[in-house]
Amino acid sequence: MIHLTPSQRAQLYLAMTKALDVSDDPETREEAQRLALCQLVADYSGGEGKFALHEAFRLADALDYYLTDHAGAGPHGFSVANVARLVGGDKDVVRAALRLLGALPTHDSEAPDDWSTAPGRKVESIRFPRDLLADYIRLELEEAEQFAAKLC
């Protein structure tokens, strides 16, 4: 946990947005990802945040690996409820992870998905398997064990 004053958090946010060349109104998926990173780091650096920042990053990585291996280039649509079941129903972590993928809320009651990497456009609806996060953590553990074996 990193303890920051509100002033330090604001300065961190502004410095990150400048360094990553991002505005508060992103025009592309890539810019939306960079903005999400700035906001998440600034908002969830302290102990009073809703979740630990590493939880959102780990979930985003697991989702990204799945998309890379099974879903093609996109654009993609996501059901928050589907993703939330991977993390015990914690929708705050889900929203943060989806933002790191460049997704935004659709705000469309007729859309089959809550979030999309291209709101307002036709997207491929992605449903993640229940064991996705566990499989990703197992893969991380196997890689760590292989790395440790090479060091010995």
Side-chain angles (χ1 to χ4, degrees):
M1 169 178 19
I2 301 169
H3 297 283
L4 300 173
T5 66
S7 173
Q8 290 171 322
R9 240 184 223 114
Q11 290 174 350
L12 174 63
Y13 175 76
L14 293 173
M16 288 183 67
T17 57
K18 183 178 179 181
L20 297 177
D21 191 29
V22 65
S23 71
D24 285 331
D25 188 22
E27 295 181 12
T28 66
R29 177 177 176 255
E30 291 78 13
E31 191 176 354
Q33 287 175 299
R34 294 192 308 268
L35 178 62
L37 175 65
C38 296
Q39 292 171 336
L40 289 169
V41 169
D43 291 345
Y44 295 99
S45 297
E48 69 280 352
K50 297 177 185 170
F51 56 86
L53 191 56
H54 72 275
E55 294 170 339
F57 285 113
R58 174 167 273 160
L59 178 59
D61 278 347
L63 300 177
D64 190 43
Y65 277 111
Y66 181 85
L67 292 173
T68 300
D69 291 344
H70 302 285
H76 302 113
F78 309 99
S79 162
V80 170
N82 169 256
V83 182
R85 68 191 176 125
L86 303 176
V87 290
D90 192 333
K91 292 184 179 179
D92 289 324
V93 174
V94 170
R95 290 181 191 107
L98 290 176
R99 290 186 65 214
L100 288 169
L101 294 177
L104 299 169
T106 61
H107 300 295
D108 181 358
S109 61
E110 299 299 317
D113 296 306
D114 303 301
W115 285 58
S116 171
T117 57
R121 291 180 34 208
K122 184 175 175 142
V123 297
E124 179 184 356
S125 183
I126 303 297
R127 296 293 182 262
F128 297 102
R130 280 192 180 272
D131 56 351
L132 174 73
L133 194 55
D135 288 346
Y136 176 72
I137 292 170
R138 276 190 212 102
L139 179 65
E140 280 186 324
L141 180 60
E142 288 172 12
E143 288 175 356
E145 287 172 345
Q146 289 172 1
F147 180 75
K150 289 180 185 179
L151 293 177
C152 295

